Amino acid sequence: MSSQSIHTAGQMEVDKNKQETRPMKRNAVLVDGVVLNGPIIDSSSGEKFVEDVYRILMNELVYKASDINQKVCEWQEPEQLKKLLDLNIKDNGEPHEKLLQLCKNVIKYSVKTSHPRFFNQLYAGMDHYSLAARFITEALNPSVYTYEVSPVFILTEEAILKKMIEFLGWKEGDGIFSPGGSVSNMYAVNLARYKYCPDIKQKGLSSAPRLVMFTSEECHYSMKKAAAFLGIGTENVYFVKTDDRGKMIPEELENQIQRAKKEAAVPFLVSATSGTTVLGAFDPLDDIANICEKHKLWFHVDASWGGSALMSQKYRKCLHGIHRADSVAWNPHKMLMAGIQCCALLVRDNSGLLKRCHSAEATYLFQQDKFYDVQYDTGDKSIQCSRRADAFKFWMMWKALGTTGLEERINRALALTRYLASEIKKRDGFELLWEPEYANTCFWYIPPSFRNMEKGPEYWRKFSNVAPTIKERMMKKGSMMVGYQPHRDKVNFFRHIVISPQVSREDMDFVLDEIERLGRDL
């Protein structure tokens, strides 16, 4: 079919049906055997599906989010769950009612992280304003790289970054939202390396000396992954000893730097941690900053977990000295409940370092002769192309609650943590391993049969099975979720995390009562 015949048939169709909302397929235009007249999607059935799923979401998730009588999880073994979910993809689509049942099954067999008794991870709870913001961004399906395609979300990200920078104590700065704290940490390592050795962007690793980075032995594993991913090498990550509370020892950092220099290596970055994953420890930032200044090293702070303490007048002292950092990772989706994922990398340098390090200047996106101010085309600062509007949900939540509301959440969560620790110390059979500095409470439950045993190798071998067995029982019952792990010389212990404002004192008491019920026969 010629282009002229396609045009003529199409024009006739428009003339005949310009008053109709959906042209009929008379005088159909065919290309490669495909009818091009009108849309092929049945919007009415899709709209009905969205409406029905929305009702399911409200009834099964939103309204039940704070109901302690609901199960936290409905445990199924993987093979059984595969059958229940009907995972097979077929040639023809499924009917409406079956799709709705699939949605109900997905909800039923998923872990309810918004449940008041979900204490398993460094995220929990449901913030309704953030959730509503996610509905908006999912429906709009934006990609935050240029102002022309994402004007609202470019501006909300700029506004929220500016506010976060203010809480760090910086007069100015730069930043980008990333898909996870691990990626934020990788950004920081890459920036530090680029600042020290800018030729590496064009010439590659052959232009760089042997670079060494330093972080605490309690750091997040993403620092090691960053070294591997960026070609620095995991052997060039020097882990610094920590004290018995999990805090980096500044004198040990100095020793490790001197070691690297004696090996003719080049130190370039120190990463401190504000809120370690297991213990919730905060490194002494001021002391570490002094050492970084002395040796002219990039100072990064991984505050993915603990950064939100900055919003509390009472607890921001945990991060004293953070204003001296060159870069900071901070995840509002953790303590502030902005919804996964919501993670920012903040950079004190405001000279365009972030863009110079990562830009590729793609001319089909970042044209410099656009009709608006192209400084709002921020996507070239990112290592991504397509990028979610993650800042928007944090902006919406902060607008709704205000700084005061967010501060109240943090103070309440940490007060509940203190309460739980005090109750552990009062109860027979429970042992608090460290006084909590943040929202992490680490403890053992010791069943009656263990309480008079001699603590030798056999004792610890058997005792290491207590926490995993109780965890299995609580998940199969669905009553709650609390994490456990071994750490250093300590065999498996519980790590309890408080975040959600839906959690109450009664829930803290329930945790201890339930662990005792589930484990007293061990």
Side-chain angles (χ1 to χ4, degrees):
M1 183 180 293
S2 70
S3 61
Q4 181 63 39
S5 64
I6 292 174
H7 174 77
T8 302
Q11 186 61 49
M12 291 173 60
E13 189 71 22
V14 171
D15 292 342
K16 287 181 180 180
N17 300 289
K18 59 185 178 182
Q19 299 301 321
E20 298 179 21
T21 58
R22 187 169 294 186
M24 297 179 67
K25 293 183 180 178
R26 289 177 297 176
N27 300 322
V29 174
L30 295 175
V31 175
D32 295 335
V34 178
V35 177
L36 302 187
N37 302 58
I40 64 166
I41 295 176
D42 181 0
S43 295
S44 60
S45 63
E47 290 162 2
K48 178 67 164 59
F49 181 68
V50 171
E51 289 176 3
D52 289 347
V53 170
Y54 175 75
R55 278 191 285 271
I56 292 170
L57 288 174
M58 293 302 296
N59 291 330
E60 299 301 319
L61 286 176
V62 177
Y63 296 149
K64 294 179 180 179
S66 60
D67 187 352
I68 59 173
N69 296 313
Q70 299 293 317
K71 285 187 173 184
V72 178
C73 58
E74 188 76 46
W75 175 259
Q76 298 290 334
E77 294 293 338
E79 292 306 315
Q80 178 63 20
L81 187 55
K82 289 177 185 179
K83 295 175 184 177
L84 290 168
L85 293 177
D86 185 18
L87 296 173
N88 293 327
I89 304 296
K90 301 175 178 123
D91 290 339
N92 296 317
E94 305 278 12
H96 183 87
E97 289 303 321
K98 184 167 184 183
L99 292 174
L100 292 180
Q101 186 57 51
L102 285 172
C103 291
K104 291 177 182 178
N105 288 346
V106 167
I107 293 171
K108 179 178 180 179
Y109 297 113
S110 292
V111 174
K112 311 305 186 293
T113 62
S114 58
H115 195 288
R117 291 173 180 171
F118 177 80
F119 307 110
N120 206 69
Q121 310 297 148
L122 304 186
Y123 64 90
M126 177 185 291
D127 178 83
H128 299 96
Y129 303 103
S130 169
L131 180 62
R134 280 181 275 168
F135 289 162
I136 292 171
T137 54
E138 289 300 317
L140 287 170
N141 195 33
S143 182
V144 187
Y145 38 49
T146 63
Y147 184 81
E148 66 179 284
V149 297
S150 195
V152 172
F153 302 118
I154 289 281
L155 295 181
T156 50
E157 180 174 74
E158 178 188 60
I160 212 74
L161 286 169
K162 183 178 179 181
K163 195 68 176 176
M164 295 174 81
I165 284 167
E166 180 184 314
F167 272 82
L168 292 176
W170 297 341
K171 292 181 180 179
E172 59 180 11
D174 199 358
I176 197 83
F177 272 73
S178 74
S182 294
V183 176
S184 294
N185 288 335
M186 186 182 73
Y187 267 118
V189 175
N190 202 41
L191 281 171
R193 183 175 65 176
Y194 177 80
K195 182 77 180 291
Y196 183 83
C197 187
D199 287 347
I200 201 168
K201 182 177 178 181
Q202 284 79 31
K203 297 181 180 178
L205 295 174
S206 62
S207 67
R210 180 192 161 207
L211 298 172
V212 172
M213 53 191 278
F214 307 86
T215 188
S216 99
E217 58 188 8
E218 295 283 336
C219 75
H220 190 261
Y221 63 81
S222 59
M223 298 309 299
K224 193 172 182 179
K225 286 195 172 189
F229 188 84
L230 294 170
I232 292 167
T234 57
E235 289 184 359
N236 294 315
V237 182
Y238 285 16
F239 295 100
V240 182
K241 291 181 181 178
T242 57
D243 62 20
D244 58 358
R245 293 298 309 272
K247 300 170 182 287
M248 185 190 291
I249 302 170
E251 294 78 12
E252 293 293 335
L253 172 61
E254 179 68 39
N255 292 340
Q256 290 283 44
I257 294 171
Q258 295 300 338
R259 170 196 160 196
K261 288 184 174 181
K262 287 177 182 177
E263 295 170 351
V266 179
F268 77 106
L269 169 139
V270 174
S271 177
T273 309
S274 289
T276 59
T277 304
V278 177
L279 304 184
F282 289 76
D283 287 340
L285 302 184
D286 252 339
D287 293 339
I288 295 170
N290 290 339
I291 295 172
C292 289
E293 288 180 4
K294 174 184 173 182
H295 295 280
K296 296 182 172 55
L297 306 179
W298 183 281
F299 181 29
H300 174 63
V301 178
D302 178 6
S304 297
W305 173 221
S308 298
L310 288 166
M311 306 195 74
S312 166
Q313 294 295 321
K314 184 174 182 179
Y315 292 104
R316 63 177 295 116
K317 62 187 178 184
C318 294
L319 296 103
H320 180 70
I322 198 167
H323 65 285
R324 301 174 67 184
D326 294 296
S327 58
V328 175
W330 178 1
N331 292 5
H333 76 232
K334 294 183 184 290
M335 179 60 82
L336 294 178
M337 298 169 53
I340 292 174
Q341 58 202 17
C342 189
C343 313
L345 173 78
L346 305 160
V347 183
R348 184 153 51 114
D349 182 289
N350 197 32
S351 70
L353 177 68
L354 195 55
K355 184 175 181 179
R356 292 196 304 275
C357 181
H358 299 120
S359 65
E361 299 176 345
T363 54
Y364 58 85
L365 278 178
F366 305 112
Q367 305 93 325
Q368 296 303 295
D369 56 356
K370 291 181 179 180
F371 63 93
Y372 59 86
D373 186 349
V374 294
Q375 71 171 337
Y376 289 103
D377 288 355
T378 58
D380 224 9
K381 295 191 292 186
S382 170
I383 59 172
Q384 301 168 252
C385 181
S386 299
R387 195 163 62 90
R388 294 174 62 88
D390 290 327
F392 178 67
K393 55 197 168 188
F394 186 29
W395 177 83
M396 180 66 77
M397 182 179 71
W398 204 336
K399 289 283 282 186
L401 299 174
T403 303
T404 301
L406 296 177
E407 180 179 14
E408 288 173 353
R409 284 186 175 180
I410 295 162
N411 290 344
R412 177 178 169 80
L414 298 187
L416 283 166
T417 300
R418 302 317 182 253
Y419 171 81
L420 179 65
S422 68
E423 288 300 301
I424 288 170
K425 288 187 282 189
K426 293 176 188 175
R427 292 201 182 203
D428 290 339
F430 287 84
E431 183 178 340
L432 184 69
L433 299 181
W434 296 274
E435 284 290 341
E437 186 174 9
Y438 197 43
N440 310 46
T441 307
C442 301
F443 63 94
W444 277 322
Y445 170 66
I446 306 164
S449 66
F450 284 83
R451 293 175 195 174
N452 295 316
M453 288 176 63
E454 182 179 346
K455 294 182 179 179
E458 184 63 14
Y459 172 91
W460 293 114
R461 186 188 66 79
K462 291 181 177 179
F463 184 65
S464 67
N465 295 320
V466 170
T469 302
I470 293 174
K471 177 64 178 284
E472 178 185 356
R473 291 176 177 182
M474 75 172 70
M475 290 198 67
K476 289 182 175 178
K477 184 178 178 183
S479 57
M480 64 180 185
M481 284 181 64
V482 181
Y484 76 87
Q485 66 285 299
H487 189 69
R488 294 191 186 178
D489 62 339
K490 301 280 193 300
V491 301
N492 286 321
F493 56 85
F494 291 107
R495 183 203 65 171
H496 181 280
I497 304 293
V498 182
I499 294 175
S500 173
Q502 298 291 348
V503 176
S504 67
R505 176 191 63 78
E506 290 82 0
D507 294 315
M508 300 295 95
D509 294 337
F510 176 84
V511 167
L512 301 183
D513 292 341
E514 183 73 349
I515 286 175
E516 190 163 18
R517 276 191 293 269
L518 295 171
R520 64 164 61 108
D521 65 327
L522 296 176

